[in-house]
Amino acid sequence: MRRPPRWVPVVGMVAVLGLAPLTGVYPVFLMKALCFALFACAFNLLLGYAGLLSFGHALFFGAAGYATAHAAKVWGWPPEGAVLFGTGVAAGYGLAVGALAIRRQGIYFAMVTLALAQMAYFYYLKAPFTGGEDGIQAVPRGQLFGVVDLEAMLPLYYTVLAVFLGGYLLIQRVVHSPFGQVLQAVRENEPRAVSLGYEPDHYKLLAFVLSAALAGLAGGMKALVFQLASLTDVHWHTSGAVILMTLLGGLGTLLGPVVGAFLVVALEHSLAQLGSWVLVAEGTLFVLCVLTFRRGLVGELGRLFRRPG
Amino acid sequence: MSTVFGVPVQALLGQLLVGLINGSFYALLSLGLAIIFGLLQVVNFAHGAFYTLGAFAAWFLLTLAGVGYLGALVLAPLAVGLVGALVERTMLKRLGGMDPIYGLLLTFGLALMIQGLLQNQYGSSGQPYEMPAWLSGGYALGFMFLPRYRAWVVGFSVVVCGATWFVIERTRLGATLRAATENPALVQAFGINVPRLVTLTYGVGVALAALAGVLAAPIYRVSPLMGADLIIVVFAVVVIGGMGSILGSILTGFALGLIEGLTKVYYPEASSTVIFAVMALVLLVKPSGLFGRTA
């Protein structure tokens, strides 16, 4: 069976997600899932295509949330400016963390990113502007480009959807660009990429910054949607959650992280009343994914369809 | 009273002792991680959860069976080590030869499960564990007061670390183990049951984590969260030390505990992040770690 063209899943997503809030699905749930979907896609760009397991991606997501909330609330910036500021802050962090972390490979890379993210967590816990355990609350959403009122639910939803689709298309473009091909070559065989004349570290660092920036874009949007930036988003549990989303949906597939994000957010939503059973459920999913279906839902489905005969 | 750089000697020594105790836990935990990583190529993210389980096992033994501290020191690591061996047999074994990332993710999932189950049952605040009477109190050394239990923790972990080092570097069993990390197929060909050795190794590494948990129980509250943040610090210790050698992880563990203690005296704001800062510095200067052999 031939692979469907690249635009098919995008059109499908636009149709489903564009109509979803009109069918009575709780829009805040959808927006949360969209923010995490973009976050997971950004993470997947790194792990799925560059083979780099960042265990500290919550840092970029959460730091952008704080930056966006601060810019919008204290400096009174418009939403587009605040989110862009958050994205920039995340990219800056990405440059610093990435430059340090790519000095080690494989699982050491994961440990370094985790440790640096934990360092940032302690910083945000103590820093005067973050509000400690309370976070930055009542963040104003404002007027997008001075025209669209984001306090109203539907304009907000379609803005989030547009940002998500923009990020998704950008990642799709990157993955299929020469840059993305080199990344995958580095992932498959780094010495070979070196002998072909590429500098793997440059590609890895650029991918890291790009992924951090997109994770930041997602975190900034989430801060606007929930009008809140808090420690939860920089905690290592969020780093774990985004790994689970990607793994569950399908590593190295474009659509996988989106599916995984919706599933995990729905799971957290439905288990929210049951306290720590969320952790148990997520842990179980991790174990099951690693032991039985490492390609994830989308990956395994794709394999079924491509099987000859 | 005499001071060192403006800090009273007593306060300085007190914090150094606290640092040494934290260092004992870092050393025991990174030692277990190094042993497991050496033979299984698995970064055992569940190590912190097994440390927590060790503390809980001591607490269970006391409250349910009336078994005291000394009994727990033997039985808890044994029980948790058996759980570890079971985990290796049923799950980790199936990841052999795959990208080590999967081992990390699997054990991360296990850590979440253990933490979540304990939190559901016992909440997040934790339970106190009574210090054994014969270890309470302390010695007045003239220049400072040395709590007996703290001295015991440091002494005990130095002995355990030393014994582990001796077994691995100086005995026949250790030689087999080191050979199996270099070339499992060859060792297998000599008629040694490598899969059993692997299971045993994972069990022993996990038991070391549980032992640290028992030691920690009378000092901290026995809480489901006690291992979660600690393991990230230990990972930083491992990156600094390089996980290349047994001795390296022991020395790095103690040294970083001391550095943390010193920071608490001179610049308390940075005490929770100083180890990560050292890690960043080491990565800039010597990416393979202080005792690391390969990058």
Side-chain angles (χ1 to χ4, degrees):
Chain A
M1 188 169 170
R2 216 168 59 85
R3 259 190 117 164
R6 225 176 274 161
W7 51 265
V8 169
V10 179
V11 172
M13 269 195 308
V14 172
V16 171
L17 294 170
L19 296 174
L22 310 175
T23 59
V25 186
Y26 190 44
V28 175
F29 165 77
L30 288 173
M31 287 189 281
K32 184 178 181 186
L34 280 175
C35 291
F36 274 104
L38 179 55
F39 183 22
C41 288
F43 172 80
N44 180 48
L45 173 65
L46 206 54
L47 178 57
Y49 294 96
L52 296 171
L53 172 59
S54 162
F55 231 116
H57 244 50
L59 164 59
F60 313 117
F61 187 69
Y66 276 120
T68 302
H70 190 76
K73 190 176 179 185
V74 181
W75 298 338
W77 285 19
E80 65 279 4
V83 170
L84 272 182
F85 176 65
T87 309
V89 167
Y93 269 119
L95 189 63
V97 173
L100 269 174
I102 57 168
R103 301 172 74 90
R104 298 304 303 268
Q105 291 181 346
I107 41 180
Y108 280 99
F109 179 89
M111 289 195 263
V112 170
T113 48
L114 178 65
L116 290 174
Q118 187 70 359
M119 187 174 175
Y121 174 81
F122 282 124
Y123 167 71
Y124 281 111
L125 181 66
K126 301 267 172 65
F129 73 95
T130 57
E133 306 274 349
D134 299 329
I136 305 177
Q137 298 179 356
V139 177
R141 287 177 187 146
Q143 310 264 322
L144 186 65
F145 303 119
V147 188
V148 184
D149 182 17
L150 293 185
E151 297 294 341
M153 203 46 89
L154 279 186
L156 180 65
Y157 176 76
Y158 287 110
T159 306
V160 175
L161 180 57
V163 170
F164 162 74
L165 285 172
Y168 182 88
L169 289 173
L170 176 66
I171 290 172
Q172 176 174 311
R173 189 72 210 89
V174 167
V175 165
H176 293 106
S177 71
F179 170 74
Q181 303 296 318
V182 176
L183 269 189
Q184 291 171 58
V186 170
R187 178 192 64 188
E188 294 305 326
N189 189 337
E190 189 162 332
R192 188 166 59 198
V194 173
S195 71
L196 286 172
Y198 294 110
E199 293 240 27
D201 281 2
H202 292 176
Y203 284 88
K204 284 187 199 167
L205 186 58
L206 192 55
F208 199 90
V209 173
L210 190 61
S211 172
L214 285 167
L217 179 63
M221 287 308 296
K222 180 169 179 275
L224 280 191
V225 169
F226 285 87
Q227 304 188 285
L228 171 73
S230 74
L231 283 171
T232 319
D233 289 340
V234 269
H235 194 258
W236 59 261
H237 178 243
T238 303
S239 297
V242 79
I243 298 174
L244 179 60
M245 290 167 187
T246 312
L247 193 64
L248 180 64
L251 270 180
T253 64
L254 281 166
L255 209 53
V258 183
V259 174
F262 273 81
L263 286 175
V264 172
V265 172
L267 177 82
E268 287 179 351
H269 190 75
S270 56
L271 291 181
Q273 308 300 319
L274 295 171
S276 305
W277 286 110
V278 178
L279 287 184
V280 182
E282 288 182 351
T284 314
L285 277 179
F286 256 110
V287 172
L288 284 178
C289 281
V290 173
L291 287 180
T292 58
F293 58 112
R294 276 181 284 276
R295 286 182 185 82
L297 293 173
V298 172
E300 298 285 354
L301 279 177
R303 199 169 64 117
L304 279 182
F305 279 116
R306 252 172 289 154
R307 195 172 280 170
Chain B
M1 194 190 335
S2 55
T3 60
V4 179
F5 296 120
V7 173
V9 169
Q10 264 179 322
L12 182 65
L13 289 174
Q15 284 302 339
L16 282 182
L17 180 63
V18 172
L20 211 52
I21 289 171
N22 287 336
S24 311
F25 295 129
Y26 299 157
L28 279 174
L29 291 173
S30 64
L31 175 62
L33 279 177
I35 295 175
I36 292 171
F37 182 74
L39 194 51
L40 282 78
Q41 299 292 307
V42 166
V43 172
N44 190 27
F45 207 112
H47 219 61
F50 286 123
Y51 161 85
T52 310
L53 271 186
F56 264 96
W59 183 78
F60 287 139
L61 283 168
L62 188 68
T63 46
L64 302 179
V67 178
Y69 178 78
L70 275 183
L73 220 42
V74 178
L75 291 177
L78 210 61
V80 179
L82 277 176
V83 173
L86 198 69
V87 164
E88 200 283 326
R89 267 288 142 101
T90 53
M91 298 179 201
L92 285 170
K93 200 178 172 182
R94 303 177 53 177
L95 299 182
M98 286 174 36
D99 191 322
I101 282 175
Y102 288 110
L104 181 63
L105 294 179
L106 179 80
T107 49
F108 178 73
L110 281 176
L112 287 184
M113 286 166 78
I114 294 172
Q115 188 192 330
L117 285 171
L118 288 173
Q119 250 175 298
N120 278 325
Q121 201 63 34
Y122 301 100
S124 300
S125 59
Q127 324 279 340
Y129 183 91
E130 201 67 37
M131 194 169 291
W134 56 278
L135 281 174
S136 55
Y139 312 99
L141 299 179
F143 55 94
M144 72 174 288
F145 180 77
L146 177 65
R148 193 171 292 161
Y149 188 75
R150 311 213 153 199
W152 159 258
V153 169
V154 175
F156 190 80
S157 37
V158 167
V159 169
V160 170
C161 287
T164 313
W165 172 84
F166 184 82
V167 169
I168 292 175
E169 301 287 344
R170 290 286 182 270
T171 65
R172 194 174 169 77
L173 174 69
T176 314
L177 200 68
R178 279 179 288 130
T181 62
E182 295 285 329
N183 192 339
L186 188 68
V187 174
Q188 182 95 41
F190 275 109
I192 285 160
N193 190 339
V194 171
R196 188 186 292 162
L197 201 62
V198 166
T199 309
L200 184 75
T201 306
Y202 191 75
V204 168
V206 163
L208 278 173
L211 185 68
V214 181
L215 287 176
I219 303 182
Y220 310 109
R221 291 178 77 81
V222 178
S223 137
L225 301 168
M226 63 193 288
D229 286 340
L230 183 64
I231 187 66
I232 300 175
V233 178
V234 173
F235 276 177
V237 171
V238 161
V239 171
I240 296 167
M243 205 138 73
S245 71
I246 300 297
L247 199 61
S249 21
I250 300 171
L251 293 179
T252 319
F254 278 106
L256 285 161
L258 282 176
I259 290 177
E260 202 181 35
L262 275 178
T263 316
K264 221 166 259 171
V265 180
Y266 290 102
Y267 191 52
E269 292 82 1
S271 61
S272 53
T273 52
V274 65
I275 290 189
F276 303 120
V278 173
M279 181 192 78
L281 203 68
V282 168
L283 281 170
L284 283 174
V285 181
K286 194 168 186 287
S288 58
L290 299 178
F291 295 86
R293 286 177 297 204
T294 49

